Amino acid sequence: MTLALGIDPGTATTGYGLVRVEPDGSMIAVKYGVILTPKEATASARLVMLYDELRDIIREYQPEIAAVEKLFFSRNVTTALAVGQARGVVMLCLEQAGIEAFEYTPNEVKQAVAGYGSAQKKQVQEMVRALLTLDSIPKPDDAADALAIAITHLSTKRYDLM
């Protein structure tokens, strides 16, 4: 059984989702949530907090693989730089843990999960709920996004999932 860690990186909020493939091929959410850092902390302190909490999640659940959302640059350069720093910390943490990391754009995630690269956020969240047979859409949005990233990887890559 493969356990994948999906990560939606950010400095203030990083979503994470652990998804396991069962022997029958179904996927289940093992754990999901967010890593929050306080706004009053320095940028470097926030990155250390992100690293430490992600390292603890990896140690506890020991995922075999990870998938991280690629940086999507729009207009806000400051936000893009902060997300880039968080992605760097995430990639470092995964590498140090010996976990291979794969990267997916937001459109690739939408395509894999909802079947349409321009799907609305709500459509993707509903598909995450359905694919993982959850009672409700995972909250907050960053956690749902992280689960979608993990599902994307497990659906995209062909592994011996037994």
Side-chain angles (χ1 to χ4, degrees):
M1 294 184 293
T2 299
L3 180 62
L5 171 61
I7 302 172
D8 181 19
T11 304
T13 306
T14 292
Y16 68 90
L18 290 141
V19 177
R20 184 174 63 229
V21 176
E22 295 294 294
D24 66 2
S26 65
M27 290 184 261
I28 64 162
V30 173
K31 173 86 173 166
Y32 58 88
V34 292
I35 298 168
L36 301 172
T37 62
K39 292 179 182 177
E40 63 275 1
T42 65
S44 57
R46 292 173 99 175
L47 294 172
V48 169
M49 289 175 212
L50 170 59
Y51 178 89
D52 289 344
E53 289 196 44
L54 182 57
R55 186 190 59 213
D56 291 346
I57 292 165
I58 290 168
R59 284 181 179 160
E60 182 175 352
Y61 293 96
Q62 301 180 352
E64 289 94 359
I65 54 176
V68 181
E69 187 172 75
K70 280 186 183 176
L71 181 60
F72 175 73
F73 178 72
S74 170
R75 291 188 179 139
N76 191 333
V77 176
T78 303
T79 300
L81 289 173
V83 172
Q85 289 173 336
R87 276 181 39 80
V89 167
V90 166
M91 299 302 278
L92 171 66
C93 190
L94 293 170
E95 183 66 26
Q96 286 184 332
I99 299 171
E100 187 174 9
F102 297 84
E103 299 176 86
Y104 297 94
T105 66
N107 283 352
E108 288 171 327
V109 173
K110 291 174 183 180
Q111 178 68 42
V113 175
Y116 178 55
S118 295
Q120 297 297 313
K121 191 173 209 60
K122 197 74 166 167
Q123 290 172 297
V124 174
Q125 291 171 342
E126 182 55 37
M127 284 304 300
V128 166
R129 186 204 61 73
L131 290 168
L132 299 176
T133 59
L134 299 170
D135 293 333
S136 59
I137 291 173
K139 296 290 180 197
D141 290 354
D142 303 280
D145 292 347
L147 288 169
I149 295 162
I151 291 168
T152 297
H153 184 69
L154 292 170
S155 300
T156 303
K157 300 297 176 190
R158 302 291 179 214
Y159 283 98
D160 178 11
L161 301 175
M162 299 302 195

